[in-house]
């Protein structure tokens, strides 16, 4: 293979002479020309909008492939190029993007990446002596994308497609990424990019029980500013439904494995719609056609075509597109091992590979041929280096020469500043929520809505999604009621005796720990929403604090129902003391336990992203809380090096609170004179013998102790259990405070854990 390549490519042996330097274009345009371009760009949105939603036409530098969508333009005598209209306002350029990661060393020869396949060794950049454990995921990738175009990134799995999309979307730390990404010649800051762009992840991250219209409506509530009237927001949603081709499925739920909903292609288009509701200027997509059939994938790309024609830059990674999908693309970048093997229009693929010595057969898909050829080179000893070198030479050979029509056409290169281009786009109706990006405030990113509006919308959305899955709450309610019924029958009508006091201690310990274990089912709730949250907050849909408070508000009403159910099931059946006030405090203690347990599990769900690991950690920690609660071993008997865990135990405070509610009343007696011998070897003595023993004790102590004399009151039980440090209301407040504290911890876990940038 290598000999054949070098035979066909003799220039690889002797590099060609360097081409003459190309003249820099568009750096310092005359003032009159700049004013003319700005005036041409700032048009009346009503006059500029076409019937199909396209705001303008564009001047493209390269011939466009003939497609059915563009046949009408070609028939007008203009050839394959788009008709000349206003200048291209936005041009995203990236040069020399390089990104390396540190590979784990697991053995192998020195100077070689560990556990590296042969194909990886020939396609990845060779590590130098100073960095033998790094691997280049991007290696000097350059290119550009213009307004009105779709730039597609292709390559085999592991070629760097998603990494390049992440680099352009500012999802890689600038410290780790080398190279430059500019828009209209100006570097993109994170805040401006968030306001004017959207990123569509590969997975469809949607709430399953919301309809298509509701999903897009909530996205509009998040991303569109509050100054827009509800009628205009609804109009934007309906227009987007038509643009996405979802009118027939508008009132169908999204669905999941257990609920039938929209199709896979429709779900993908809804995912795109939630991110473009504010009509962004830059749209990044990570393999939007993955997992779809040919027709559904074509429909998705047609939607992207319409989005681009509305005045956006669309950059997407795509895996093995069909011939008709390839005809909808404007620019194409082929990657292999993080390096560029082709960059140009899809229509240039046949001539490119023909010049390389491997012509594309007439009856074969150009994209499939290119990918197959790249895989063949990757498995060869030389790797894709011949293709990479040929691409560089091909780019130099086909670069516009000074004085050519392409080089001298000013409409191909934006000459207005980024600020002016954003203002012009907003005047045409683009960037619905980005009006605060233009002007001097362009460096400061703000949210579309105030805090309380975000919280209201989040609460409403979660409530609707939860209400349509009542089985989740009913299962939890059933578990609580069944547990309460079992406890009520086991501890039915406890008496006031030493055994009754001990049984009450066991009942309260089990009941309070049950509240916390029941809260473990809240663990997968956030884990299911985790990636939805990451997607929505990555580009400023709402604040993290709004989500935390909304999560607490939505989860609280079910806790009230569960608390009342358990309290009514157990309080009267067990025969607990205190009457109505005692029942009220008992219910509040259960509610506080649910509140603290729910906060604790929610916090862990923000720290541990895996369900099974999370369940293991929750069960283990709750077992430790019960162990150090003071039931199994009194506080004064716990070793000093473990006493700190006793005060951190969530079970300790509600357990001590309900104990004081039960035993803290005066006039309650739990051990009388004759009962002193219970739970001891003297319990089997005849009553007459017990009476004489009590008389002897009375004589020795000088205190009269009869068979009915109260020896241990409820307060004595509390002293024996070492429950004397805090009052019952203090225990209740501490339990409630734990719930708030864990939700604060949950907020910080979101702040620290939702940094979706690679390092």
């Amino acid at each position: 293979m290598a000999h054949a390549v070098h035979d066909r490519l003799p220039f690889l042996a002797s590099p060609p002479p360097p081409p003459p330097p190309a003249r820099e274009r568009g750096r310092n345009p005359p003032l009159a020309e700049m004013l003319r371009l700005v005036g041409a760009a700032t048009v009346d949105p009503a006059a500029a909008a076409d019937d199909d939603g396209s705001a303008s036409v564009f001047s493209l530098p390269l011939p466009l492939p003939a497609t059915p969508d563009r046949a009408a333009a070609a028939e007008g005598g203009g050839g394959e190029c788009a008709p000349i209209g206003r200048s291209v306002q936005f041009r995203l350029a990236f040069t020399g993007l390089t990104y390396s990661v540190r590979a784990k060393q697991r053995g192998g020869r020195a100077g070689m990446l560990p556990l590296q396949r042969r194909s990886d060794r020939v396609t990845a950049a060779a590590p130098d002596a100073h960095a033998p454990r790094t691997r280049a995921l991007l290696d000097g990738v350059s290119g550009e994308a213009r307004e009105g175009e779709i730039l597609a990134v292709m390559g085999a799995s592991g070629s760097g497609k998603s990494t390049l999309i992440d680099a352009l979307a500012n999802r890689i730390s600038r410290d780790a990424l080398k190279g430059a990404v500019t828009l209209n010649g100006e570097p993109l800051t994170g805040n401006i990019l968030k306001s004017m762009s959207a990123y569509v992840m590969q997975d469809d991250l949607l709430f399953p029980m919301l309809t298509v219209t509701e999903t897009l409506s909530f996205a509009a509530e998040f991303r569109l500013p509050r100054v827009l009237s509800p009628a205009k927001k609804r109009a934007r949603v309906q227009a987007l439904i038509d643009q996405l081709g979802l009118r027939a499925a508008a009132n169908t739920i999204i669905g999941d494995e257990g609920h039938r909903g929209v199709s896979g292609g429709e779900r993908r288009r809804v995912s795109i719609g939630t991110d473009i509701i504010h009509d962004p200027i830059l749209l990044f997509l990570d393999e939007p056609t993955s997992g779809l059939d040919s027709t559904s994938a074509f429909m998705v790309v047609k939607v992207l075509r319409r989005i681009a024609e509305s005045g956006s830059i669309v950059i997407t990674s795509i895996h093995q597109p069909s011939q008709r999908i390839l005809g909808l693309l404007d620019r194409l970048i082929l990657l292999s091992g993080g390096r560029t093997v082709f960059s140009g229009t899809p229509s240039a693929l046949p001539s490119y590979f023909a010049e390389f010595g491997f012509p594309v057969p007439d009856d074969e898909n150009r994209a499939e041929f290119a990918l197959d050829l790249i895989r063949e080179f990757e498995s060869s000893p030389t790797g894709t280096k011949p293709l990479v070198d040929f691409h560089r030479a091909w780019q130099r050979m086909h670069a516009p020469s000074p004085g050519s029509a392409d080089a001298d056409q000013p409409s191909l290169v934006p000459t207005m500043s980024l600020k002016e281009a954003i203002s012009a786009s907003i005047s045409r109706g683009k960037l619905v929520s980005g009006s605060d990006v233009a002007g001097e405030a362009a460096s400061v990113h703000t949210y579309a809505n105030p805090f309380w509006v975000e919280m209201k919308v989040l609460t409403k959305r979660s409530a609707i999604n939860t209400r349509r899955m009542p089985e989740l709450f009913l299962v939890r309610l059933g578990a609580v009621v069944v547990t309460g019924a079992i406890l009520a029958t086991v501890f039915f009508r406890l008496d006031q005796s030493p055994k009754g006091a001990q049984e009450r201690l066991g009942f309260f310990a089990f009941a309070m720990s049950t509240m916390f274990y029941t809260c473990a089912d809240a663990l997968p709730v956030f884990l299911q929403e985790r990636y939805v949250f990451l997607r929505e907050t990555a580009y400023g849909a709402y604040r993290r604090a709004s989500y935390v408070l909304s999560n607490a508000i939505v989860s609280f009403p079910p806790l009230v129902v569960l608390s009342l159910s358990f309290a009514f099931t157990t309080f009267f059946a067990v025969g607990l003391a205190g009457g109505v006030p005692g029942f009220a405090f008992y219910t509040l203690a259960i509610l506080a336990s649910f509140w603290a347990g729910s906060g604790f599990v929610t916090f862990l769900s923000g720290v541990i992203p895996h369900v099974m690991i999370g369940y293991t950690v929750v069960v283990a920690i709750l077992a430790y809380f019960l162990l150090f609660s003071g039931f199994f071993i009194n506080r004064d008997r716990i070793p000093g090096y473990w006493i700190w865990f006793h005060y951190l135990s969530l079970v300790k405070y509600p357990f001590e609170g309900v104990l004081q509610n039960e035993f803290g009343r005066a006039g309650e007696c739990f051990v009388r004179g004759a009962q002193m011998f219970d739970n001891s070897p003297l319990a089997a003595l005849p009553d007459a013998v017990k009476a004489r023993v009590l008389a002897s004790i009375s004589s020795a102590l000088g205190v009269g102790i009869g068979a009915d004399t109260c020896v241990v009151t409820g307060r004595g039980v509390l002293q024996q259990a070492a429950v004397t440090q805090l009052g019952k209301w203090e225990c209740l407040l501490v339990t409630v405070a734990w719930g708030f504290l864990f939700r604060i911890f949950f907020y910080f876990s979101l702040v620290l854990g939702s940094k979706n940038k690679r390092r």
Side-chain angles (χ1 to χ4, degrees):
M1 181 69 178
H3 296 291
V5 171
H6 284 284
D7 290 342
R8 299 191 185 201
L9 305 175
F11 68 88
L12 293 179
S14 58
R23 186 179 66 187
E24 294 184 358
R25 297 168 290 163
R27 171 173 289 185
N28 296 309
L31 179 61
E33 181 183 354
M34 179 180 292
L35 293 177
R36 179 179 60 81
L37 292 174
V38 173
T42 311
V43 297
D44 182 19
D50 297 331
D51 295 337
D52 59 353
S54 176
S56 60
V57 291
F58 308 94
S59 301
L60 301 179
L62 296 173
L64 297 177
T67 64
D69 292 343
R70 301 170 188 166
E75 292 175 359
E80 290 183 345
C81 290
I84 302 298
R86 62 175 177 82
S87 301
V88 175
Q89 290 184 344
F90 293 100
R91 175 178 177 268
L92 180 72
F94 48 98
T95 55
L97 293 183
T98 302
Y99 173 58
S100 300
V101 295
R102 184 175 297 274
K104 295 181 180 179
Q105 188 71 30
R106 297 182 180 177
R109 291 179 293 176
M112 184 181 297
L113 293 179
L115 298 182
Q116 192 179 25
R117 298 189 303 272
R118 186 167 175 254
S119 60
D120 292 334
R121 294 199 297 272
V122 298
T123 57
D128 55 33
H130 299 287
R133 297 185 181 181
T134 60
R135 179 183 178 184
L137 301 183
L138 294 177
D139 187 5
V141 179
S142 301
E144 68 173 18
R146 294 194 180 101
E147 174 188 344
E149 294 183 350
I150 298 179
L151 169 63
V153 184
M154 280 181 52
S157 298
S159 60
K161 302 187 299 296
S162 298
T163 305
L164 178 58
I165 299 294
D166 288 345
L168 299 178
N170 194 30
R171 293 166 65 89
I172 298 179
S173 173
R174 291 301 183 190
D175 298 333
L177 180 67
K178 297 179 181 179
V181 180
T182 60
L183 187 63
N184 287 17
E186 300 181 19
L188 279 174
T189 62
N191 289 336
I192 295 180
L193 186 63
K194 282 185 178 181
S195 299
M196 63 185 300
S197 67
Y199 186 98
V200 180
M201 297 181 181
Q202 184 174 349
D203 299 324
D204 299 323
L205 307 173
L206 304 168
F207 285 88
M209 301 311 295
L210 299 181
T211 65
V212 171
T213 301
E214 289 171 341
T215 301
L216 297 178
S217 297
F218 282 118
E221 292 291 340
F222 289 133
R223 300 304 299 265
L224 302 186
R226 189 161 55 106
V227 295
L228 287 180
S229 65
K232 290 184 177 180
K233 291 182 180 179
R234 288 192 296 269
R236 169 61 182 160
V237 170
Q238 296 303 319
L240 186 59
I241 289 175
D242 292 331
Q243 184 183 18
L244 297 172
L246 295 170
R247 177 58 58 190
N251 297 319
T252 305
I253 64 171
I254 302 300
D256 56 10
E257 294 81 359
H259 304 84
R260 186 175 180 86
V262 297
S263 66
E266 291 169 336
R267 185 181 295 111
R268 188 61 50 86
R269 280 177 272 162
V270 175
S271 296
I272 296 173
T274 57
D275 287 306
I276 66 170
I277 190 70
H278 62 300
D279 204 3
I281 295 173
L282 292 172
L283 178 60
F284 304 98
L285 304 100
D286 186 9
E287 295 199 17
T289 61
S290 177
L292 301 180
D293 59 85
S294 177
T295 302
S296 298
F298 179 68
M299 292 295 296
V300 169
V301 179
K302 283 191 69 175
V303 168
L304 299 182
R305 177 78 257 159
R306 290 195 291 267
I307 294 171
E309 290 172 350
S310 69
S312 298
I313 299 175
V314 178
I315 302 176
T316 177
S317 59
I318 194 167
H319 182 71
Q320 206 159 352
S322 64
Q323 193 69 29
R324 56 178 180 172
I325 289 179
L326 204 62
L328 295 176
L329 307 179
D330 297 290
R331 295 176 184 269
L332 190 62
I333 293 180
L334 282 173
L335 297 179
S336 175
R339 295 183 291 179
T340 307
V341 297
F342 173 79
S343 178
T345 61
S347 60
L349 276 173
S351 61
Y352 175 81
F353 285 106
E355 294 180 31
F356 184 62
F358 293 86
V360 181
D362 295 336
D363 58 346
E364 189 167 350
N365 186 315
R366 291 169 288 173
E368 293 180 358
F369 175 84
L371 292 176
D372 292 341
L373 184 63
I374 291 172
R375 291 191 185 98
E376 185 178 349
F377 270 88
E378 287 177 345
S379 61
S380 68
T382 57
T384 54
K385 186 177 185 300
L387 267 173
V388 175
D389 294 339
F390 175 74
H391 171 257
R392 293 172 182 168
W394 188 80
Q395 289 283 81
R396 290 194 295 266
M397 287 187 295
H398 291 78
S401 59
S404 65
D406 288 341
D408 295 337
Q409 198 170 9
S411 61
L412 301 181
V413 180
T415 54
M416 64 181 66
S417 67
L418 180 59
K419 171 185 171 182
E420 294 170 332
I422 293 175
S423 299
S425 292
I426 293 174
S427 69
R428 294 187 292 113
K430 293 289 292 181
L431 209 62
V432 179
S433 66
S435 58
D436 57 348
V437 182
E440 299 300 328
S443 60
V444 180
H445 172 69
T446 56
Y447 294 92
N449 294 286
F451 176 83
W452 63 272
V453 173
E454 295 174 352
M455 194 170 61
K456 182 183 71 173
V457 176
L458 283 168
T459 302
K460 181 180 179 181
R461 183 178 68 175
S462 298
I464 292 176
N465 192 68
T466 303
R467 188 175 66 248
R468 291 178 182 172
M469 291 189 293
E471 61 273 10
L472 299 180
F473 173 73
L474 293 178
V475 169
R476 189 177 182 185
L477 178 62
V480 169
V481 172
V482 169
T483 303
I486 293 175
L487 290 176
T489 54
V490 171
F491 297 95
F492 186 74
R493 294 297 179 184
L494 296 179
D495 56 3
Q496 291 184 338
S497 65
K499 290 184 179 181
Q502 188 64 36
E503 289 166 351
R504 278 176 167 81
L505 293 175
F507 166 77
F508 287 127
F510 191 90
M512 294 301 107
S513 61
T514 298
M515 303 303 104
F516 291 93
Y517 279 107
T518 307
C519 292
D521 68 339
L523 182 69
V525 172
F526 174 72
L527 295 181
Q528 293 174 352
E529 301 179 8
R530 181 183 185 89
Y531 294 104
V532 179
F533 167 82
L534 291 177
R535 185 198 70 191
E536 293 176 337
T537 57
Y539 288 87
Y542 49 80
R543 299 167 180 83
R544 295 175 179 87
S546 303
Y547 180 85
V548 173
L549 287 179
S550 170
N551 179 272
I553 292 174
V554 172
S555 63
F556 188 76
L559 301 183
V560 176
V561 177
L562 295 176
S563 302
L564 290 172
S565 301
F566 188 84
F568 275 111
T569 305
T570 58
F571 185 86
F572 302 103
V574 175
L576 302 181
V580 174
F583 174 80
F585 182 87
Y586 177 69
T587 305
L588 290 176
I590 295 173
L591 178 60
S593 300
F594 273 126
W595 170 254
S598 175
F600 170 70
V601 174
T602 302
F603 162 65
L604 286 184
S605 69
V607 176
I608 304 173
H610 302 286
V611 175
M612 296 309 299
I613 297 177
Y615 274 125
T616 303
V617 173
V618 167
V619 171
I621 295 180
L622 290 179
Y624 302 149
F625 285 162
L626 179 60
L627 174 63
F628 291 98
S629 64
F631 170 69
F632 293 101
I633 181 172
N634 288 357
R635 182 186 70 249
D636 51 8
R637 303 278 295 177
I638 297 177
Y641 48 83
W642 280 119
I643 194 64
W644 58 273
F645 210 121
H646 170 72
Y647 292 102
L648 291 179
S649 173
L650 296 183
V651 182
K652 160 189 165 62
Y653 299 99
F655 174 63
E656 293 187 357
V658 292
L659 285 184
Q660 295 200 37
N661 185 59
E662 181 70 16
F663 296 107
R665 291 175 178 81
E668 300 246 348
C669 184
F670 288 90
V671 180
R672 300 188 180 274
Q675 296 173 334
M676 290 174 56
F677 305 101
D678 294 351
N679 300 325
S680 71
L682 302 179
L685 294 176
D687 292 340
V689 177
K690 292 180 181 179
R692 289 197 298 270
V693 173
L694 288 176
S696 300
I697 295 175
S698 301
S699 176
L701 296 178
V703 178
I705 301 178
D708 295 328
T709 304
C710 183
V711 178
V712 179
T713 62
R715 297 189 181 276
V717 175
L718 295 178
Q719 292 177 353
Q720 292 176 4
V723 183
T724 55
Q725 284 187 327
L726 298 175
K728 68 176 186 179
W729 292 106
E730 293 173 330
C731 292
L732 181 67
L733 292 177
V734 171
T735 307
V736 173
W738 273 120
F740 282 105
L741 182 63
F742 279 120
R743 280 167 173 80
I744 294 175
F745 289 162
F746 177 55
Y747 167 77
F748 285 110
S749 72
L750 297 183
V751 173
L752 299 177
S754 60
K755 303 293 185 183
N756 55 352
K757 287 189 178 183
R758 305 191 194 184
R759 295 293 178 181

